[in-house]
């Protein structure tokens, strides 16, 4: 009689160990999914903030008189009215933001929007906005390109 109880208890322990193993593996997969969803959520929020700031900047550029597009200094002055912490580097305008996407100095910046402009032969001024991190590698977050007709 004792042998049948021992056999049953051995099978029960084996079943219990298999169930615990199954739940441990399942929980590992679920935790990995949660961490991946958090990472994607952070990246999505960063990209949304970058696009919002670039759209604000593009609307500001639409408010500039097209006669001023011939003078990059006039564009810089207009941008400086809204974004005090910006500078010109290699004919590009750089605007700096902290981790909360508030305008800040380049020393405290976590993000940067780079504005490149060029004139084409068809009387169009091409703008390219690029949001990047200020780390050494400068990871691109988002970019936006648009054109404005320039009166001659």
């Amino acid at each position: 009689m004792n042998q049948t109880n021992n056999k049953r208890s051995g099978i029960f322990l084996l079943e219990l160990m298999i169930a615990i193993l199954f739940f441990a593996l399942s929980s590992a997969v679920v935790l990995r999914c949660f961490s991946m969803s958090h990472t994607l959520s952070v990246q999505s929020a960063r990209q949304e903030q970058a696009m919002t700031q670039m759209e604000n900047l593009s609307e500001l550029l639409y408010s500039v008189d097209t006669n001023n597009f011939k003078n990059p200094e006039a564009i810089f002055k207009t941008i400086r009215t809204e974004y005090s912490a910006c500078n010109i580097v290699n004919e590009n305008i750089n605007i700096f933001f902290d981790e909360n996407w508030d305008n800040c100095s380049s020393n405290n910046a976590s993000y940067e929007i780079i504005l490149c402009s060029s004139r084409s032969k068809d009387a169009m001024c091409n703008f390219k906005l690029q949001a990047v991190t200020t780390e050494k590698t400068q990871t691109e977050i988002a970019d936006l390109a648009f054109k404005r007709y320039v009166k001659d």
Side-chain angles (χ1 to χ4, degrees):
M1 187 137 177
N2 281 340
Q3 282 186 336
T4 57
N5 284 339
N6 285 340
K7 285 182 183 180
R8 287 185 186 167
S9 64
I11 292 174
F12 174 74
L13 287 175
L14 183 63
E15 288 176 354
L16 187 62
M17 287 174 36
I18 291 172
I20 290 172
L21 177 67
F22 173 75
F23 285 119
L25 291 174
S26 299
S27 65
V29 170
V30 168
L31 287 175
R32 184 178 171 114
C33 289
F34 281 144
S35 69
M36 182 64 80
S37 70
H38 174 71
T39 303
L40 288 174
S41 174
V42 168
Q43 288 174 348
S44 175
R46 182 190 307 169
Q47 189 174 26
E48 182 182 350
Q49 286 290 338
M51 287 303 292
T52 301
Q53 290 295 338
M54 288 190 301
E55 287 171 358
N56 291 343
L57 187 57
S58 68
E59 290 295 326
L60 183 64
L61 289 171
Y62 273 114
S63 71
V64 175
D65 184 21
T66 57
N67 292 327
N68 291 334
F69 286 154
K70 298 172 187 171
N71 180 7
E73 198 62 36
I75 297 173
F76 181 69
K77 285 181 183 177
T78 303
I79 291 173
R80 195 152 188 115
T81 60
E82 292 294 321
Y83 300 99
S84 59
C86 61
N87 59 25
I88 298 178
V89 177
N90 299 332
E91 297 183 13
N92 296 332
I93 299 174
N94 297 0
I95 305 166
F96 301 99
F97 299 92
D98 63 8
E99 63 275 349
N100 297 322
W101 287 93
D102 295 323
N103 194 224
C104 69
S105 67
S106 61
N107 298 336
N108 301 329
S110 297
Y111 306 107
E112 175 181 5
I113 293 180
I114 303 167
L115 169 65
C116 306
S117 64
S118 63
R119 294 278 310 265
S120 60
K121 294 178 182 177
D122 58 353
M124 298 297 283
C125 188
N126 302 311
F127 292 101
K128 182 178 181 196
L129 297 169
Q130 184 180 26
V132 296
T133 60
T134 56
E135 301 163 350
K136 290 181 181 179
T137 57
Q138 279 199 338
T139 307
E140 182 176 331
I141 300 169
D143 64 349
L144 178 68
F146 61 96
K147 297 180 179 184
R148 287 281 316 266
Y149 177 74
V150 179
K151 299 175 190 173
D152 286 330

